[in-house]
Amino acid sequence: MGRMARDLLRKLPSVDRILSSGSSRELQMAAGREPFAQCLRETLEDLRARLKAGAEVAVDEASILEAVRERLEAKRRPGLCRAINATGIILHTGLGRAVLPKAALDAIASEQKGYSLLEVDRASGERSIRETHVVRLLQEITGAEAATVVNNNAGATLLTLATLARGREVITSRGQLVEIGGSFRIPDVMEQSGAKLVEVGTTNKTYLSDYERRIGPDTALLLRVHPSNYRIVGFTHFPSLEDLVALGRKRDLPVMDDLGSGAFVDLRSYGIQGEPTVQESVKAGADVITFSGDKLLGGPQAGFIVGKKKAVSEIRKNPLFRALRVDKLKLTAMEATLKLYLDPDRLVREHPTLRMIAMGADEIERRALDLAAKLQGIAGVSVEVRTDASEIGGGSVPAQQIPTRVVALRPSRLSLDETAARLRAGSPCVFARVQHDRVLFDVRTLQEGEIDELAEAVRRILPA
Ligand SMILES: *Cc1c(COP(=O)(O)O)cnc(C)c1O
């Protein structure tokens, strides 16, 4: 530590001195004495650490009080707030995955204003099953015999394995031992469920005969996992779900399909390849199919379980089911989201996730020009529209990019990292991509009204 830093450390006023100084009175009254004192201690601690690290910091009382004020304000800011997603990643896990359809928000506001018919049957007045309405919709949309829902797909997978294979063996391909972000790994989930993982085949090739040869007296289940966040390409082979189901029938074993992202709509019409639909898995005859509510399905976080009556009713009877059950807000949002799938015209207009995936080049261009024009009016930035790529994200549809247009911004008097940091700190906060020498705003993932808000946010953070 240099001499100057040591001098400054010595000059740093004490907590008591600032507490009793007249200039802190106003802030103390506004915040309350104890919260103020706490923030003051934290601020001084922070300054001390920075001085020791050799940073240049102001240690006069006015600067310290200003830092305390900022700290108090930061503590009061709501933690979970709306974010503008200009990253172009449609299912951004950090930003909450799927944007809920307005129909889902409206349903929460109107149906959950007071009490609701969560678990009562209107006709008889008797207790009923809370997910009844969602189950009916799932049956109608997917064609499955039976369905239920839990908190998320990790829960759905755990519950299914624990119910159908606890203490016994589950055969799965080495090419499908998926890891999803946030520590979901098929082998670990398997262990937690009490089932024993039996790997067959190799990373790139697994044949039906590999499964068949490993079936023994302890085998409980054949499992296929959709590699939702990676692709194995080239010299590959994996048996179709139909073939696995045929093998399961022959040997009297249930077949589980963990789809992960779980689309109800064939994305090929939007140029997205390799994402199987839930309906295809139902048609192939899988006993249990699990998938997320907040990936391609575009609803709240949930884990759907659809398939055969026998398997689903066993799953529902597992005591773990109660621990993973969904709450009323989620059920309400889910029902409203699923209803959109019954009306294809409404679906493409009102389902934010599909709308963003399907957004045409004309609309993208219009949005980009609109945003660029608004940013061009701001002093101290250079702006241009570029071609780039959006991603589906959220561990869905890897390695496929959707052509898009981005607005590239270069501030003349602020570093790119500082610009991005200030945008994140604003309200609403803005998430953008920083690439090479520009901050990029992908217009595909902006919601209604957010072009204006984004331009305003940029204007606010730039030095005058
Ligand atoms: C995403 C995913 C999961 C986990 O789903 P969550 O809803 O995030 O819990 C499990 N399996 C696969 C194949 C997935 O893609």
Side-chain angles (χ1 to χ4, degrees):
M1 192 174 20
R3 224 185 89 205
M4 204 158 94
R6 242 184 329 238
D7 276 354
L8 285 173
L9 262 179
R10 221 175 299 122
K11 276 204 200 113
L12 207 59
S14 69
V15 173
D16 286 339
R17 207 180 94 201
I18 295 185
L19 276 177
S20 57
S21 107
S23 53
S24 75
R25 194 167 306 137
E26 202 182 317
L27 203 50
Q28 283 195 55
M29 302 251 282
R33 192 182 149 89
E34 199 30 56
F36 174 84
Q38 179 60 31
C39 272
L40 176 59
R41 272 181 235 118
E42 289 168 12
T43 305
L44 290 173
E45 198 60 42
D46 190 40
L47 286 176
R48 239 173 254 124
R50 285 166 60 191
L51 281 171
K52 283 181 189 160
E56 271 181 51
V57 290
V59 299
D60 60 292
E61 201 171 300
S63 308
I64 292 171
L65 283 176
E66 185 50 35
V68 173
R69 187 208 320 282
E70 276 172 20
R71 197 174 274 264
L72 280 164
E73 264 172 25
K75 282 193 182 176
R76 249 183 260 127
R77 262 200 294 268
L80 246 182
C81 63
R82 182 165 67 90
I84 293 180
N85 175 9
T87 65
I89 301 168
I90 296 170
L91 297 169
H92 193 300
T93 299
L95 300 180
R97 282 201 190 153
V99 173
L100 287 177
K102 183 167 176 300
L105 301 177
D106 290 348
I108 290 174
S110 66
E111 287 161 32
Q112 296 300 343
K113 215 172 185 170
Y115 297 97
S116 64
L117 275 182
L118 181 63
E119 274 191 16
V120 227
D121 175 49
R122 229 204 266 244
S124 63
E126 302 286 320
R127 269 297 272 279
S128 68
I129 287 171
R130 61 172 59 199
E131 73 271 26
T132 306
H133 310 290
V134 163
V135 167
R136 242 180 255 137
L137 285 162
L138 286 170
Q139 287 167 321
E140 183 167 352
I141 297 165
T142 68
E145 268 176 36
T148 189
V149 59
V150 292
N151 189 49
N152 58 12
N153 191 31
T157 313
L158 176 70
L159 176 64
T160 303
L161 292 170
T163 307
L164 302 181
R166 171 165 231 113
R168 298 176 63 205
E169 292 177 353
V170 176
I171 304 181
T172 199
S173 159
R174 286 205 167 83
Q176 298 175 357
L177 300 175
V178 177
E179 169 174 326
I180 313 295
S183 76
F184 176 96
R185 289 173 143 192
I186 287 290
D188 298 344
V189 174
M190 193 79 75
E191 195 181 320
Q192 279 302 314
S193 74
K196 187 166 170 281
L197 173 65
V198 174
E199 303 169 26
V200 294
T202 61
T203 310
N204 58 326
K205 288 210 176 203
T206 305
Y207 300 94
L208 198 63
S209 57
D210 293 324
Y211 293 83
E212 189 155 23
R213 232 176 298 137
R214 277 301 279 113
I215 294 176
D218 276 343
T219 308
L221 185 71
L222 305 180
L223 168 66
R224 179 181 86 152
V225 185
H226 173 56
S228 54
N229 57 0
Y230 64 103
R231 289 279 184 270
I232 296 176
V233 292
F235 190 56
T236 65
H237 179 87
F238 295 96
S240 67
L241 187 60
E242 283 82 357
D243 288 344
L244 264 189
V245 168
L247 176 61
R249 296 260 160 83
K250 194 167 95 186
R251 307 295 295 263
D252 201 19
L253 288 171
V255 174
M256 169 177 177
D257 188 24
D258 179 15
L259 275 179
S261 28
F264 287 157
V265 173
D266 191 341
L267 296 177
R268 268 173 295 206
S269 48
Y270 305 126
I272 307 286
Q273 308 296 327
E275 199 54 43
T277 63
V278 176
Q279 292 91 324
E280 283 162 8
S281 294
V282 170
K283 215 161 162 198
D287 294 82
V288 185
I289 302 149
T290 57
F291 48 99
S292 295
D294 56 352
K295 291 186 182 169
L296 291 169
L297 225 66
Q301 179 192 299
F304 290 108
I305 301 172
V306 306
K308 303 281 187 216
K309 256 192 205 124
K310 180 166 176 288
V312 173
S313 77
E314 268 178 60
I315 288 167
R316 232 196 151 278
K317 282 190 217 121
N318 189 324
L320 246 189
F321 181 83
R322 176 64 175 76
L324 297 168
R325 83 172 179 188
V326 289
D327 74 287
K328 59 185 181 181
L329 296 186
K330 205 173 264 190
L331 280 169
T332 306
M334 213 178 274
E335 187 180 334
T337 307
L338 292 177
K339 275 184 184 156
L340 291 178
Y341 284 92
L342 301 180
D343 182 344
D345 290 336
R346 252 187 99 197
L347 184 66
V348 284
R349 270 184 284 118
E350 298 183 28
H351 188 287
T353 303
L354 290 176
R355 217 183 100 66
M356 285 185 268
I357 293 174
M359 195 177 289
D362 290 351
E363 183 172 355
I364 293 279
E365 189 66 19
R366 200 158 6 92
R367 285 168 160 234
L369 293 177
D370 185 12
L371 177 61
K374 286 179 172 130
L375 292 176
Q376 253 140 15
I378 301 173
V381 296
S382 68
V383 176
E384 67 185 50
V385 175
R386 292 181 179 176
T387 296
D388 209 293
S390 313
E391 275 174 51
I392 295 199
S396 304
V397 198
Q400 278 186 68
Q401 300 192 314
I402 314 171
T404 192
R405 298 280 276 166
V406 298
V407 178
L409 176 97
R410 189 163 66 174
S412 57
R413 279 186 294 152
L414 210 54
S415 75
L416 293 178
D417 285 343
E418 179 63 21
T419 307
R422 288 190 186 185
L423 284 170
R424 285 197 307 273
S427 173
C429 52
V430 174
F431 280 73
R433 273 209 308 268
V434 175
Q435 213 170 61
H436 309 305
D437 56 344
R438 297 281 197 285
V439 179
L440 305 183
F441 302 117
D442 187 334
V443 292
R444 184 184 295 276
T445 44
L446 298 179
Q447 308 303 301
E448 206 181 316
E450 288 184 348
I451 289 183
D452 288 314
E453 281 186 289
L454 175 52
E456 196 41 49
V458 172
R459 190 187 302 275
R460 265 200 310 266
I461 60 140
L462 289 175

